[in-house]
């Protein structure tokens, strides 16, 4: 079982993962090159833990566990020292991730497991430059991490059974429901989720209905907790665009990114995190 975890990348997913590991009593180092990002992340984590306590979802001890178990670092090598589980949650760009894995592999211990939170990139390809690809696995969390129950554990061609078991065990310890899936583009979740999200954007482009109405259609008509456009705002338009581009290249036309999505991303409207996407979040 993991005693010390390093989470690399203090964006939405990384900070959510670090929150959950720390409040489960696992020593957690949240690592990001930007000290400002780490400060913002810690503030968000504290607020979320307080909200969880207020809602009766976190025990009051979560506040103390967070204080004693969460630390931060701007140095990958320092952050990974002594960790037995490293979870990477940096942007969905193959080169950024593989560069970090190379760096991490040089400093981690013999038994440490390296996991990626990628939502679509191939696990086998991500691990192709590693010396120990058998200790590499996908651990795909969902946003908001403290609330969402699923962890998709993705088996690379060379992931060992012991590595898969360790990822499943960690997810379970964190109170999540793991599923183990094959390394296939978009895995079991992003591939299906994207179909709905992209089609909703095309419907908006062609004037079928407004963003509010399209979302309401799925919220009330299909009982989705959140409509596909609001969900795209929550996930991040840049994140969804990157996944769509990859799935378009791997699977086909149904994943071609709509022009409106490209336009909003190029204008810096990335959804909730920037205050505007398909909806106004300001
Ligand atoms: N800590 C712990 N629990 C919390 C919490 C916190 N900080 N804040 C809220 N909660 C709990 C609440 O108590 C509540 O629990 P119950 O349902 O048992 O009452 C639940 O979480 C929902 O909280 P709220 O009532 O505050 O919020 P809401 O009802 O408006 O729901 C939502 C918000 C959970 C985001 C909901 O709209 C939802 O499920 N949306 C869909 C999210 C989704 O699909 N995410 C996946 C995105 S794809 C992805 O992430 C992968 C990728 O690769 C990009």
């Amino acid at each position: 079982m993991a005693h010390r975890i390093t989470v690399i990348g203090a964006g939405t997913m990384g900070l959510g993962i670090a929150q959950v590991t720390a409040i489960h009593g696992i020593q957690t180092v949240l690592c990001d090159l930007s000290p400002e990002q780490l400060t913002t992340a810690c503030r968000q984590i504290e607020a979320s833990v307080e909200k969880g306590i207020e809602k009766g979802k976190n025990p009051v001890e979560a506040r103390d566990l967070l204080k004693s178990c969460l630390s931060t670092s701007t140095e990958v090598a320092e952050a990974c020292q002594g960790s037995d589980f490293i979870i990477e949650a940096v942007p969905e760009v193959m080169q950024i991730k593989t560069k970090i894995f190379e760096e991490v592999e040089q400093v981690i211990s013999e038994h440490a497991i390296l996991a990626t939170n990628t939502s679509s990139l191939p696990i086998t390809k991500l691990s192709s430059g590693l010396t120990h690809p058998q200790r590499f696995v996908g651990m795909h969390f969902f946003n908001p991490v403290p609330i969402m129950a699923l962890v998709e554990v993705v088996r690379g061609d060379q992931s060992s059974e012991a590595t898969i078991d360790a990822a499943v065990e960690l997810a379970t310890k964190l109170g999540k429901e793991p599923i183990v899936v094959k390394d296939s583009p978009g895995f079991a979740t992003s591939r299906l989720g994207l179909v709905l999200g992209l089609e909703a954007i095309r419907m908006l482009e062609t004037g079928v209905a407004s963003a509010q109405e399209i979302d309401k259609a799925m919220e009330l008509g299909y009982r989705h907790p959140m409509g596909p456009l609001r969900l795209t705002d929550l996930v991040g338009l840049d994140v969804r665009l990157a996944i769509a581009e990859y799935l378009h290249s791997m699977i086909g036309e149904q994943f071609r990114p709509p022009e409106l999505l490209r336009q909003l991303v190029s204008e810096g409207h990335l959804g909730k995190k920037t205050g505007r996407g398909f909806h106004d979040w300001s």
Side-chain angles (χ1 to χ4, degrees), residues 13 19 47-53 55-58 117-120 140-144 146-148 189-190 225-226 231 234-235 239-240 243:
M13 297 306 290
Q19 171 181 334
S48 175
V49 169
E50 287 306 320
K51 188 170 174 196
I53 293 172
K55 296 222 168 216
K57 298 290 168 179
N58 295 337
N117 179 55
T118 184
S119 41
S120 64
H140 184 201
F141 290 80
F142 293 82
N143 179 15
I147 299 176
M148 302 301 285
T189 51
S190 301
M226 189 178 250
L231 182 58
L234 177 75
V235 169
V239 175
R240 284 230 144 158
I243 301 172

